[in-house]
Every structure is written in C-alpha cells, then in structure tokens.
Amino acid sequence: KEVCKPFFMDSLRRVLKGNTEVLSERQEICASLRFIDVRNSSIYADEVMAITNQQAMEEGRWIVDTSRIYVDLDGLNRWANDELSEDYARFRDLLDVNLDIEKHFDALLNDIINDNSFTKNNILSQDESDVVLLDIFSRLSDEFLNNPVFGLDFYLSKRIRHQSFIGLIRGPLEFSHVITMQENDVYQNNTYWMSKLSFNDYKSQQEALALFISFSENFDNLLLNAKDRKFHILSKEYPEGLIYPTYNENLFEMMRIVPRIEESDLLDDFLLLAYPLLWNSLEPSLFNARTYIDSVLKDNISRLIDELKYKIQELTISNAEQREFIATLNSASSEVQLSLEEAKNWFKRKNDSELTKKLFALEQVVKIATESALKCQKSFEPVIANDIHDGDVLLTASALVFVHDVLFVALDNARAHSGLQKPRVKIDARIESDNKKLSLKIVTSTDRFSKQSNLKKIQEIKTAINNNSYGSNSKKEGRSGFIKIAAVVKQSN
C-alpha cells in the first residue's frame, strides 16, 4: 500500500505508459488490498473512488482541450438538407451508371493514404455531373469553414481566439508579476519588481522601468499577432491565416467514385463521406499551425524572456532579490513553454467516436469546466461557490464542452468587468425536473462603479440577440461572449 503508489509507479515507464495506466494499476492494487488488508478495506474503497473521479476529471480536461478544433456537424447537416438536397438529387440523375471506373476503390484509398504532397490542384471536370458535384462540395466546404453559427471559424473564435490562447500563455508571467496590464492603452509600470530590486544607479532604474514596459508590449504583440492574424481561416480579410483546406486530385477522385458505387441516393450518406474528406483537407494546415507555435512563437518568446533576464541582471545589484527575480522568471518561462505546448495540441482534431462514450455527473462537469476556464485566466482569483442539482442524470462530452464555453464567458466577464480582483461568483447548475434541460445561472459581484455601465452593455447585447442581429459578430472577439453562447443555444429548444 505504500510502495505501489502512483508517485513510485510513475517511474515504471517501460511497463506503465502514462498517468492513465499508472492510476488504473493503482486501482487494481487497492482492489486487491481490500481483501488482503480487510481492516482497512474502506480506506482502499475510498481511494478507488477518488481515482475514478480523478480519471474522469482528466478525461474531461482532455475533452475540453481537444474540442477546440470543431465543427457542429448536426448544424451543418441541417443546412445541407435545406440547401443541397435538390442539387444532390440532380447530381444523382446525371450520374452515368455505366461509367468505367479506372481505379479500384482500394487502390485509390491507398494512393490517398500515401499521398503527402497536399498541394492545391486545379481539378478538371470530366462531365456535367462532376461540375454539379464540385459545386456541392465547394458550398459544403465554405459552410464547414465559415458558417457563423456552426462552422470551424466560429469555434476558432469561441474556443481559441476569444481570450483562451492569450490568457493561457500570458498567465504564468502575469501571475509572477513579470508582465503588466494596459490601462487606457498604456502599459502600467511594474511596481512589484521595481520596488524589490536594487539598481546600480538612477539611470539603471529608469532603463529597467522602460524595459519591463517594452517586454510587456513585445510579448503581447507576439500573442496578438498569432490571435489576430494567424489563427484564422485564410481569406482576403486574413491573408496570413494559417487554416485552409488543401485538396488533391485523389481526394476529389474519391468524391467522384464513391457515389457511383454506392447504392444509396440519400444526401446524408454522401455527407458521411464528405466530412472525413473535409477534415482530411485541413490536416496540413493544422500541422502548419502547430509548427508555427512550436518554432516561431516558442523561439521568439524564449528570446524575449532571455533578453529581459540578462538586461535586468546587468542593471541590478546581485543580492537575494535579484536571485528571486531570476528564479521566478525561469519558472514562469518554463510554464509559458508548457502552455505553448498545450496550445499547440489544441490544433489536433479529436476522434469524435471516442468522446461519445464518455459520461459525466453534473458536479464533475462544472468542476472540470471551471478549472479549464480559470487555467486561461491564471492571475484571476474569483471566490466560487457551487449549487448543483443533477437529478442523477449523466451528461455527454458535448454537454461538458458547452458548459465550459458558458463558464469561460461568465468568468472572463467577471475578470474583465466586475472591477474586482476576487469577485464572488455563484454557479447554479441543475437538470430541470423533466430531465430535458440543463439550466446554468452565474451570479457575479461587482463594484458600484462598474455596475451601471455593465447593465447598459448587457441590454445592448440582449437586444441584438433577441433580434438575431448579431450576424458575423459571432466569429469576432471582444464583447461577443454572450453572442457566441446564444448562437449555440438558439439551435436547440
């Protein structure tokens, strides 16, 4: 019971790969110990339950982080059935059932798997059915990427660009007081470290003061450039956007052949084929986004932090406070690098089929969602109280991600608009008695100076939501959190 603890078993990397296997092994050990050490059976039973809950929490956090690259395919299905059904019926009518398929399906699939070129190709139409098919696929692709309610760019805005990325990367430096905030478009002086460090002379003190401000500005500019220019769908509006589809001839050949060998005339069956191809077309650009974070951002941020460290060392007297600053900066730098690694993994698409099997209690959902939201707002310290009534109903992974989105917006608003560093936040979450609705109510304290201004802004946003007049604002950042939630909620009763 003492030797076979996760802390020690974690070293058995050749046998137990990763934290999940370590915890599962510990559960089995505890289950055996219940019968060997009967007197302490209840203690082992409690640990088994605690590990089960910990595993659920870790799975939940993984689900939230791997759901950032996402398209609501149910919403896309509804759009396709409304907009493409007639065109698809026409395409089926135009098909030449006697078409001689030159490539066998298995050979074509093998070509696609082994094709690593992924360059943009001009796909030449073979006949009129191909023209119609290409038009269908093109319109489907555009909605898949750009629809303001269920498309990829909507979720990029909602789950990556809307504070998540900047909050996650900036958090460690903000928490350690190395980086400062802006006030009226001007960075505040770093009074925390300026008051602790001892400087060589007055000139050195002034240089350090300016150095902290320029560091904050340069660091934020790197993150803002990524958020505002890079993490977008490539378009005329965003010419530096890193996300775009790349189609090759084999992929389109697959689109041509499968409808010809499938007996079904249903659009839904065609969509089941099209969606994996659309996701496949994004893989090269998602890889490029990960590479951008892994090389450009990591290297530039490391350089900025190193420059700050060495220059502050030159400007200050070597003493305990200087050593404390260096240690704090080194620790924060390591956290920033880990956060960048985490953000890099956001640009990997999850396996939807794996997530449909996961179920969570509402209390777990709220806890996971809160922890994940606060991870991107590290220096924010709300005092949170939960009131949860679940009616013994288990929720799916998609519900978990939705609750995360809601709580992220609520807590981000509390951080930005309450006027308080530690506002009181009460989260009321319940499954309604008919077991058909999840109700979330979040109440936040605010200072008296912010309240009236906030209420006015909220009323403007409510009016826009009630009038459905928010349009493409759901894909933008800044005063759009409620609108993003509304865009999802309004799709379902």
Side-chain angles (χ1 to χ4, degrees):
K1 71 177 183 181
E2 296 297 335
V3 175
C4 295
K5 284 189 171 178
F7 176 78
F8 295 109
M9 291 195 294
D10 197 44
S11 63
L12 304 175
R13 286 302 184 187
R14 277 197 263 175
V15 181
L16 302 171
K17 294 179 173 58
N19 194 45
T20 300
E21 287 191 20
V22 168
L23 290 175
S24 296
E25 183 70 14
R26 177 65 183 177
Q27 273 188 315
E28 290 189 25
I29 289 165
C30 287
S32 298
L33 286 170
R34 287 188 66 194
F35 299 99
I36 297 170
D37 183 13
V38 177
R39 187 174 58 180
N40 293 313
S41 178
S42 61
I43 296 174
Y44 302 127
D46 289 344
E47 187 175 347
V48 168
M49 289 300 296
I51 290 173
T52 299
N53 189 56
Q54 183 181 347
Q55 288 175 319
M57 295 290 290
E58 289 186 359
E59 284 180 341
R61 285 189 284 267
W62 176 81
I63 286 168
V64 168
D65 282 342
T66 53
S67 299
R68 297 181 190 270
I69 296 296
Y70 182 76
V71 174
D72 178 6
L73 296 183
D74 289 337
L76 186 54
N77 271 336
R78 289 192 292 272
W79 175 88
N81 278 287
D82 288 341
E83 301 293 330
L84 300 179
S85 292
E86 289 186 13
D87 289 327
Y88 188 71
R90 179 172 168 240
F91 164 71
R92 295 295 306 184
D93 289 341
L94 288 168
L95 279 183
D96 180 2
V97 293
N98 296 317
L99 178 73
D100 179 23
I101 300 174
E102 296 178 1
K103 259 187 181 175
H104 290 293
F105 184 84
D106 288 344
L108 175 62
L109 192 59
N110 189 58
D111 283 348
I112 291 172
I113 291 169
N114 293 317
D115 180 15
N116 295 315
S117 59
F118 285 103
T119 56
K120 291 181 179 178
N121 293 299
N122 293 320
I123 300 167
L124 301 176
S125 299
Q126 304 296 315
D127 55 37
E128 189 178 354
S129 66
D130 284 346
V131 175
V132 177
L133 178 63
L134 194 55
D135 179 64
I136 290 170
F137 190 70
S138 175
R139 290 163 63 194
L140 185 68
S141 175
D142 186 58
E143 295 298 318
F144 180 90
L145 294 171
N146 298 308
N147 187 281
V149 174
F150 52 72
L152 176 62
D153 197 43
F154 170 68
Y155 285 97
L156 279 174
S157 174
K158 188 167 182 250
R159 296 178 180 172
I160 294 180
R161 298 196 302 261
H162 190 87
Q163 182 58 28
S164 296
F165 175 74
I166 288 182
L168 179 69
I169 309 305
R170 200 182 200 273
L173 291 169
E174 199 175 310
F175 187 70
S176 56
H177 306 286
V178 173
I179 199 168
T180 58
M181 304 293 288
Q182 277 185 312
E183 195 171 290
N184 298 323
D185 295 328
V186 177
Y187 280 92
Q188 299 171 342
N189 289 333
N190 194 326
T191 54
Y192 182 86
W193 285 109
M194 289 298 296
S195 65
K196 296 191 76 164
L197 295 165
S198 300
F199 298 93
N200 298 326
D201 49 36
Y202 178 75
K203 182 182 177 184
S204 298
Q205 185 182 41
Q206 294 305 302
E207 285 184 29
L209 194 64
L211 184 62
F212 277 116
I213 289 175
S214 65
F215 171 80
S216 299
E217 185 175 6
N218 291 334
F219 187 90
D220 282 349
N221 284 340
L222 283 174
L223 301 187
L224 287 169
N225 183 64
K227 178 181 83 76
D228 295 338
R229 297 184 180 183
K230 302 295 185 180
F231 298 156
H232 283 268
I233 307 296
L234 180 66
S235 64
K236 288 182 180 178
E237 187 179 0
Y238 297 102
E240 298 178 45
L242 292 172
I243 312 300
Y244 53 86
T246 48
Y247 304 118
N248 59 30
E249 290 175 359
N250 280 330
L251 285 175
F252 186 68
E253 191 68 12
M254 175 79 87
M255 294 292 298
R256 293 181 68 240
I257 289 178
V258 174
R260 288 165 164 81
I261 60 177
E262 285 280 346
E263 295 182 1
S264 173
D265 290 337
L266 297 178
L267 175 61
D268 285 342
D269 291 334
F270 169 79
L271 295 175
L272 287 175
L273 161 72
Y275 294 151
L277 297 184
L278 287 168
W279 280 121
N280 192 299
S281 74
L282 290 174
E283 285 301 326
S285 66
L286 293 177
F287 174 80
N288 291 339
R290 296 195 297 272
T291 302
Y292 172 78
I293 293 172
D294 210 26
S295 54
V296 176
L297 277 183
K298 278 189 176 182
D299 290 350
N300 285 330
I301 284 173
S302 291
R303 177 181 52 79
L304 273 181
I305 292 175
D306 286 343
E307 285 177 0
L308 176 67
K309 179 168 62 177
Y310 295 130
K311 286 180 180 177
I312 290 295
Q313 277 183 303
E314 290 175 0
L315 297 170
T316 56
I317 296 170
S318 178
N319 56 18
E321 285 73 21
Q322 188 201 66
R323 289 190 290 275
E324 181 191 352
F325 173 76
I326 299 303
T328 300
L329 187 57
N330 286 337
S331 176
S333 178
S334 297
E335 284 192 61
V336 168
Q337 293 296 314
L338 288 173
S339 296
L340 285 165
E341 189 67 22
E342 187 174 330
K344 183 183 81 172
N345 290 327
W346 290 354
F347 290 88
K348 287 181 180 177
R349 194 183 146 257
K350 70 182 184 304
N351 184 339
D352 294 326
S353 62
E354 289 181 22
L355 302 188
T356 56
K357 303 170 187 174
K358 313 287 185 186
L359 294 173
F360 301 89
L362 182 56
E363 185 174 5
Q364 290 176 323
V365 164
V366 171
K367 188 174 181 182
I368 294 165
T370 303
E371 286 183 6
S372 296
L374 289 177
K375 186 170 62 177
C376 296
Q377 304 168 37
K378 192 165 184 179
S379 62
F380 181 49
E381 301 172 294
V383 180
I384 298 176
N386 293 335
D387 187 10
I388 297 171
H389 305 272
D390 60 13
D392 295 325
V393 174
L394 295 177
L395 301 177
T396 62
S398 61
L400 163 63
V401 175
F402 171 75
V403 173
H404 167 266
D405 291 345
V406 172
L407 289 182
F408 182 90
V409 169
L411 293 171
D412 189 44
N413 280 338
R415 177 193 61 81
H417 305 298
S418 70
L420 302 170
Q421 177 61 29
K422 298 182 179 181
R424 297 185 310 280
V425 178
K426 183 177 180 182
I427 300 171
D428 184 302
R430 60 188 64 229
I431 305 293
E432 300 291 0
S433 56
D434 60 3
N435 289 342
K436 290 182 180 177
K437 275 189 181 176
L438 167 63
S439 169
L440 296 167
K441 180 180 179 181
I442 300 95
V443 181
T444 308
S445 62
T446 179
D447 69 13
R448 59 193 179 90
F449 303 106
S450 304
K451 187 170 183 178
Q452 289 305 313
S453 170
N454 288 339
L455 288 173
K456 183 180 178 183
K457 291 175 188 172
I458 288 170
Q459 191 54 52
E460 292 172 1
I461 294 168
K462 277 185 177 179
T463 301
I465 289 171
N466 291 334
N467 295 336
N468 288 321
S469 59
Y470 44 84
S472 62
N473 286 335
S474 63
K475 297 197 298 179
K476 299 186 182 299
E477 296 73 58
R479 292 183 64 179
S480 63
F482 285 125
I483 285 171
K484 293 179 195 301
I485 294 171
V488 174
V489 171
K490 286 201 167 193
Q491 295 181 63
S492 168
N493 291 325

